[in-house]
Amino acid sequence: MEISSYALIIIFSVTIIISYFFNLFAKKSGIPSVLMLIVLGILINMGLTVAGIKNPNLPLILEVLGVVGLILIVLEAALDLRLLKEKVGVIIKSFFVAFTGLGTTAYISALSLNFFLEIGLLKAFLHTIPLSILSSAIILPSIDNLDEHKKEFMVYESTFSDILGIIGFYS
């Protein structure tokens, strides 16, 4: 069973409306709306599979939307950044924390996949890089209650993590 273009437009519109309500709920609950949207996507996919509806073939559209989404996430985080001479120490520390955290998490996760699932180490490493990113889409909504110094550090660190993860994955 094929989904019509009208049905896709309705589905995308409903998803945007649900996203708005997830944002409202996220402010009260502290759960990032991105995580709720990921769970919603998984549930929709499971529902389509159970209902016997064939998933639409949208690889080009999804690739473009994914790249635009990544750019918007990094640019949104960049809006909170202030590049001043006295902040060089915080910027360098946050870069090394992001690099170390991303590399260590991806490497340990890759070793786990290699050991338990017997996947080649390089392939396992490539699979774990996106999961190891401390994305600003998740970090930024969660840092409202921190003091200004910690908040600034987390903004820099999540931005560097996004950028390093993107570079590492696409390399």
Side-chain angles (χ1 to χ4, degrees):
M1 182 173 167
E2 190 71 29
I3 298 177
S4 71
S5 60
Y6 294 115
L8 285 175
I9 291 172
I10 291 171
I11 289 169
F12 289 140
S13 300
V14 169
T15 304
I16 291 171
I17 293 168
I18 290 171
S19 173
Y20 172 75
F21 288 117
F22 281 176
N23 280 332
L24 294 178
F25 182 71
K27 289 178 184 174
K28 294 183 192 242
S29 68
I31 301 170
S33 61
V34 172
L35 295 178
M36 291 186 275
L37 285 170
I38 290 171
V39 170
L40 176 66
I42 292 169
L43 293 175
I44 289 172
N45 187 35
M46 290 169 55
L48 289 174
T49 304
V50 168
I53 299 173
K54 186 177 130 187
N55 290 340
N57 189 14
L58 303 171
L60 180 63
I61 293 171
L62 291 178
E63 184 178 337
V64 170
L65 287 176
V67 170
V68 169
L70 287 172
I71 291 169
L72 289 176
I73 288 169
V74 172
L75 289 177
E76 178 192 10
L79 290 175
D80 294 332
L81 302 179
R82 288 177 221 88
L83 297 175
L84 302 173
K85 195 174 197 178
E86 53 270 3
K87 307 228 185 236
V88 170
V90 174
I91 293 170
I92 291 172
K93 285 179 188 175
S94 62
F95 175 80
F96 284 113
V97 167
F99 184 77
T100 305
L102 179 69
T104 304
T105 306
Y107 184 69
I108 290 172
S109 300
L111 287 176
S112 299
L113 284 178
N114 179 265
F115 180 76
F116 291 114
L117 301 177
E118 298 177 3
I119 298 174
L121 193 58
L122 181 60
K123 188 174 182 180
F125 190 71
L126 287 175
H127 285 304
T128 58
I129 287 176
L131 300 174
S132 302
I133 296 171
L134 292 174
S135 178
S136 54
I138 293 176
I139 298 292
L140 293 182
S142 307
I143 61 172
D144 288 335
N145 298 330
L146 295 177
D147 64 48
E148 197 59 36
H149 178 71
K150 290 180 182 177
K151 186 185 291 189
E152 184 177 42
F153 182 83
M154 293 302 294
V155 169
Y156 283 119
E157 194 266 340
S158 65
T159 302
F160 284 130
S161 182
D162 283 338
I163 292 168
L164 291 170
I166 292 166
I167 291 170
F169 186 72
Y170 280 111
S171 294

